Amino acid sequence: MDYTWAKKLGLVRKPANFISSISDDRGDELKYGGMSISDVFHKDVGIGGVLSLLWFRRRLPEACCKFIEMVLMVTADHGPAVSGAHNAIVTARAGKDLISSLSAGLLTVGPRFGGALDDAARMFKEAHEQGSTPKRFVDSCKKGNKLIMGIGHRIKSLSNPDQRVVLIK
């Protein structure tokens, strides 16, 4: 049976094709930003190149692609996403409104990711309740050699820098 003939008679449906703003599987071969998946591999565009095609819909300069790869390498220890940001994005992509999406993200901030925010809020609230100015608060923390939560990093510092920051610089 000829497909075109059967389609005209209503015996078969048009095949389902998926197209999004970043990829296209219509035709003989999947395309990322207009580049066939074969060319992606033959031209060895790498992860940075693939992400440039998917996210920016064009091939970015090599330096940009290398930077994307560097960022992925230095943040890989956090997994695919920090929970709060990930959940906000998933909720938004599911079609929920802005408030629901932000709430989903904020409600999953915890001690492992973003938890310093809770401690920072407590510290700032206490300082405010005591009538302290921001300068007095900072000076008091410095004098007592006390970390201000939510600012900087609990372990890394200028004298013990995070090598990821050093590499990106």
Side-chain angles (χ1 to χ4, degrees), residues 62-106:
E62 192 60 32
C64 295
C65 295
K66 290 303 258 181
F67 180 74
I68 291 170
E69 291 178 10
M70 181 189 305
V71 168
L72 288 171
M73 286 187 268
V74 300
T75 60
D77 67 315
H78 279 67
V82 174
S83 57
H86 174 79
N87 291 331
I89 292 166
V90 169
T91 306
R93 293 293 299 142
K96 297 299 285 184
D97 59 279
L98 178 63
I99 299 300
S100 298
S101 300
L102 290 173
S103 297
L106 290 170

Side-chain angles (χ1 to χ4, degrees), residues 116-141:
L117 294 175
D118 293 337
D119 293 336
R122 274 191 280 286
M123 290 178 81
F124 298 152
K125 181 177 180 279
E126 287 171 14
H128 176 73
E129 288 171 349
Q130 294 168 4
S132 181
T133 66
K135 180 170 179 17
R136 252 188 288 143
F137 170 71
V138 171
D139 289 345
S140 168
C141 289

Side-chain angles (χ1 to χ4, degrees), residues 106-169:
L106 290 170
L107 290 170
T108 53
V109 168
R112 294 182 73 193
F113 292 111
L117 294 175
D118 293 337
D119 293 336
R122 274 191 280 286
M123 290 178 81
F124 298 152
K125 181 177 180 279
E126 287 171 14
H128 176 73
E129 288 171 349
Q130 294 168 4
S132 181
T133 66
K135 180 170 179 17
R136 252 188 288 143
F137 170 71
V138 171
D139 289 345
S140 168
C141 289
K142 278 176 149 179
K143 187 176 180 181
N145 202 24
K146 185 176 179 183
L147 292 175
I148 300 173
M149 300 310 294
I151 299 174
H153 197 278
R154 190 183 302 249
I155 299 168
K156 300 300 179 186
S157 65
L158 289 174
S159 60
N160 178 29
D162 185 333
Q163 288 305 302
R164 296 173 293 189
V165 174
V166 173
L167 289 168
I168 288 176
K169 281 184 178 180

Side-chain angles (χ1 to χ4, degrees), residues 38-59:
S38 297
D39 282 344
V40 166
F41 284 92
H42 288 90
K43 294 179 180 180
D44 195 26
V45 300
I47 289 292
V50 166
L51 292 178
S52 77
L53 291 168
L54 293 174
W55 294 351
F56 301 98
R57 297 186 185 125
R58 64 188 172 91
R59 183 79 191 275

